[in-house]
Amino acid sequence: MSGLGGLNKSPHGIVVGLVQIQNPWIVTPDDVTRQAARIVELVGKARRNNPGMDLVVFPEYSLHGLSMDINPAILCTLDGPEIAAFKAACVEHRIWGCFSIMELNPGGNPYNSGIIIDDSGEIRLYYRKLHPWVPVEPWEPGNLGIPVCDGPKGSKLSLIICHDGMFPEMAREAAYKGAEIILRTAGYTAPIRHTWKITNQTNAFHNLAQTASVCLCGSNGTFDSMGEGMFCNFDGTVMVEGSHRPDEIITCELRPDLVREARLHWGVENNIYQLGHRGYVAVKGGAQDCPYTFMHDMVAGQYKLPWEAEVVHKDGSSCGFDVPERRYKGPGA
């Protein structure tokens, strides 16, 4: 099904390249400029690597590195030179691209954002990470929801970033909105290896989706990122896995047409349908209530764990960040 990494592309296939880019160390605006140029070079490498490639995906932190620096001088905006360079690269090489930026936020901490640009240079998806990796990351929680966009050949794409993928609700929301291919970009280091793999697989299986996930790779002198690009099929099996070699591009042919077929014709384990139609053998249409207390409580703003008062880490002070005073402003703020 993987078409030998996309070398033997089928009429319905979408070839995706996951770039295990070398983990950069970024301090100054000039560093950002150089790293943006390196990303542009690798867009060209992806096109030369596989003329049939439809989409090239870069990991979280591929532009800014893992320093957690919130210095405004090195942050990006959607109308800035870095995004302009990525757009131009997609046009020049006739390829879709998924990119990571740390986005300037005049009203608070930066957003950890991702964009998907099509082969005509248009932004087709714009996403802000909903679940920063607390207490380590200082990023503002995302407020744009989980968007889905039309991708190459009529596919449906979504993007979740790193720690987002540890929450089953994230991939479920993406699939509920129609996503057939769920991209996951990350900066993870080796201690996360096991959970990285199993969540990529379960996010695929729980939602009858295909997942394409990639981390930074190599050392920046302090942190060792693991690479490990990974494609999972909608039954949870791993189709293609990457290594630990920096700047390697892992490719796979994905088949969203088979995702659509499974979502229509599977009976057993069509779990995303069955979630909202419990026990349809016994009762017409299945039970369509919401039996989950945590969902009701979250909607009511009353989410509270039985052990909540005893949770130790509730801010970033253990990682050197000031205790915040601002409240979350909500969607679109």
Side-chain angles (χ1 to χ4, degrees):
M1 178 162 179
S2 68
L4 290 178
L7 294 176
N8 303 299
K9 190 174 181 180
S10 71
H12 300 292
I14 295 174
V15 177
V16 178
L18 304 176
V19 184
Q20 298 180 170
I21 194 170
Q22 167 66 45
N23 185 356
W25 186 254
I26 303 296
V27 178
T28 69
D30 287 343
D31 293 334
V32 174
T33 300
R34 282 190 292 270
Q35 186 63 13
R38 178 57 183 154
I39 291 169
V40 167
E41 289 175 0
L42 287 170
V43 172
K45 177 187 174 183
R47 168 53 69 230
R48 295 189 302 274
N49 177 274
N50 190 319
M53 191 177 295
D54 297 290
L55 169 65
V56 59
V57 181
F58 288 86
E60 178 194 36
Y61 291 116
S62 52
L63 181 60
H64 285 90
L66 288 171
S67 70
M68 306 301 156
D69 191 348
I70 62 172
N71 174 13
I74 64 170
L75 300 176
C76 292
T77 59
L78 290 185
D79 59 356
E82 298 83 11
I83 301 299
F86 299 158
K87 288 179 176 181
C90 289
V91 172
E92 178 182 355
H93 298 290
R94 307 176 313 284
I95 196 168
W96 290 57
C98 177
F99 304 95
S100 166
I101 62 170
M102 299 303 132
E103 181 190 358
L104 183 68
N105 173 21
N109 283 23
Y111 291 106
N112 182 335
S113 300
I115 58 172
I116 294 176
I117 299 172
D118 68 17
D119 54 2
S120 66
E122 297 297 321
I123 293 178
R124 301 296 291 268
L125 184 146
Y126 167 42
Y127 171 66
R128 291 169 172 169
K129 187 177 184 178
L130 282 187
H131 293 277
W133 195 40
V134 292
V136 176
E137 292 182 334
W139 315 123
E140 195 84 3
N143 58 0
L144 300 177
I146 304 168
V148 171
C149 73
D150 292 330
K153 295 185 177 178
S155 61
K156 298 290 186 181
L157 305 177
S158 67
L159 170 64
I160 60 178
I161 299 176
C162 200
H163 192 52
D164 284 339
M166 299 300 184
F167 298 86
E169 296 81 4
M170 291 289 301
R172 174 58 50 82
E173 173 76 357
Y176 185 74
K177 289 183 172 181
E180 298 153 350
I181 299 171
I182 300 174
L183 307 178
R184 184 184 183 189
T185 61
Y188 276 139
T189 55
I192 313 298
R193 177 169 288 121
H194 174 68
T195 48
W196 168 252
K197 291 182 176 181
I198 62 172
T199 52
N200 291 334
Q201 291 179 265
T202 56
N203 285 338
F205 172 64
H206 287 162
N207 300 293
L208 294 185
Q210 293 179 323
T211 59
S213 313
V214 64
C215 297
L216 287 176
C217 195
S219 177
N220 64 6
T222 300
F223 300 108
D224 296 329
S225 293
M226 61 192 190
E228 297 194 5
M230 186 177 185
F231 293 92
C232 298
N233 206 0
F234 54 83
D235 62 357
T237 57
V238 178
M239 294 189 287
V240 179
E241 276 189 285
S243 66
H244 313 293
R245 182 163 67 86
D247 292 347
E248 184 176 7
I249 301 176
I250 311 303
T251 59
C252 181
E253 181 189 55
L254 298 178
R255 292 287 301 277
D257 61 311
L258 298 182
V259 169
R260 293 190 284 271
E261 181 180 283
R263 288 176 173 179
L264 294 180
H265 294 285
W266 275 29
V268 174
E269 303 300 345
N270 191 345
N271 298 313
I272 187 169
Y273 175 79
Q274 293 169 12
L275 179 68
H277 302 82
R278 297 184 297 115
Y280 61 65
V281 173
V283 295
K284 184 176 181 179
Q288 297 181 33
D289 60 344
C290 181
Y292 305 105
T293 303
F294 83 92
M295 291 185 180
H296 290 284
D297 287 352
M298 183 172 283
V299 169
Q302 297 173 354
Y303 184 93
K304 187 176 182 180
L305 301 168
W307 59 91
E308 185 137 340
E310 300 174 64
V311 171
V312 174
H313 298 286
K314 297 183 178 180
D315 56 50
S317 57
S318 64
C319 293
F321 299 111
D322 293 336
V323 176
E325 298 295 334
R326 292 181 299 109
R327 295 284 185 179
Y328 177 64
K329 293 182 179 179

